[in-house]
Amino acid sequence: MAGKLAVIGAGLMGSGIAQVSAQAGWDVVLRDVTDAALARGTDGIKASYDRFVSKGKLPAADAEAALARITTTTDLDAAADADIVVEAVFEKLEVKHEIFRTLDGLVRPETVLASNTSAIPITKIAAATGRPDRVVGVHFFSPVPMMRLCELVRGYKTSDETLAAAREFAESVGKTCIVVNRDVAGFVTTRLISALVVEATKLYESGVATAEDIDLACQLGFGHAMGPLATADLTGVDILLHATGNIYTESQDEKFAPPELMRRMVDAGDIGRKSGQGFYKHD
């Protein structure tokens, strides 16, 4: 399967989705609101392709061909003839509603409208459109070129046909899928990691154990590749705080109530690897 894909949002997730899709033969239009954001996204894609080429994992000619399949734009109208649109913008329902409302009036009736959201119920996003049966969650994982999982989320009105098209797309770009059949906030993966990060943070802030020992316990005791606090630093403490807050607001389940320490870290700008400081110090 290959066709035309529009990716809305050229940040870490959006550019990663564009990268793997172009490499798999999709013609990709990558849209963001500024030329500077698009330049950062495409620079990241090129740097990632270059790393794969230097390690012998991707022929240089294939990298060049994939890069040539990506076009960039600040115009949302460029998504009008896409077969699939994947939204990958900030996790705020109002922002997503604006995008999906506009896309609903742009794209063909059969186009699949997908969201890369990690925590917001798909049914809430789909409510901004007149085609909730064509809206689905396609939750990729960071870094997209390396992570094999894609979480497919069925909204309350998502059709079997739409879910099948989303699976075919995700598998075409090399991902293995799980299906979330009931549209709960946080789905499967974000609920699991949020609960683990919240509890790990509480253990750390109350002095029960160091961040290193908490992470080591999960690695050696449970076989996790990375501990929860290191994962928070990699993902972004701000991103996980926002996702956990969304789940707590929706579910009112106390195990998802964000710890005070996470809030203060975000207030102070200690949000993980991207800031140089989170639960750990990063060069």
Side-chain angles (χ1 to χ4, degrees), residues 18-19 22-23 25-29 42 45-46 49 60-72:
Q19 176 182 330
Q23 192 174 331
W26 286 81
D27 292 318
V28 179
V29 57
T42 52
I45 291 170
K46 187 177 185 304
Y49 280 150
D62 290 356
E64 290 175 13
L67 201 58
R69 282 191 285 270
I70 301 173
T71 58
T72 60

Side-chain angles (χ1 to χ4, degrees), residues 4-159:
K4 181 171 180 180
L5 172 72
V7 180
I8 312 303
L12 184 65
M13 295 303 297
S15 60
I17 294 166
Q19 176 182 330
V20 297
S21 300
Q23 192 174 331
W26 286 81
D27 292 318
V28 179
V29 57
L30 181 61
R31 186 264 184 182
D32 213 308
V33 293
T34 68
D35 289 328
L38 290 167
R40 285 193 297 271
T42 52
D43 285 349
I45 291 170
K46 187 177 185 304
S48 183
Y49 280 150
D50 287 346
R51 284 193 294 274
F52 281 116
V53 170
S54 67
K55 293 177 181 178
K57 295 181 177 180
L58 180 68
D62 290 356
E64 290 175 13
L67 201 58
R69 282 191 285 270
I70 301 173
T71 58
T72 60
T73 183
T74 57
D75 187 359
L76 196 58
D77 288 354
D81 60 344
D83 300 301
I84 295 179
V85 182
V86 177
E87 165 272 313
V89 302
F90 186 67
E91 288 284 81
K92 195 168 184 179
L93 184 60
E94 295 79 15
V95 177
K96 294 181 187 296
H97 268 179
E98 182 180 352
I99 290 170
F100 275 80
R101 194 176 295 115
T102 304
L103 288 170
D104 190 33
L106 281 177
V107 302
R108 301 189 304 265
E110 67 273 16
T111 298
V112 171
L113 297 178
S115 176
N116 183 59
T117 181
S118 62
I120 300 173
I122 297 302
T123 305
K124 286 192 171 186
I125 295 171
T129 78
R131 60 176 95 190
D133 60 308
R134 301 300 292 174
V135 180
V136 64
V138 288
H139 178 207
F140 289 85
F141 291 78
S142 181
V144 180
M146 303 300 294
M147 300 294 281
R148 293 177 54 197
L149 182 65
C150 182
E151 189 175 33
L152 303 178
V153 186
R154 184 195 287 272
Y156 184 68
K157 292 190 174 180
T158 303
S159 69

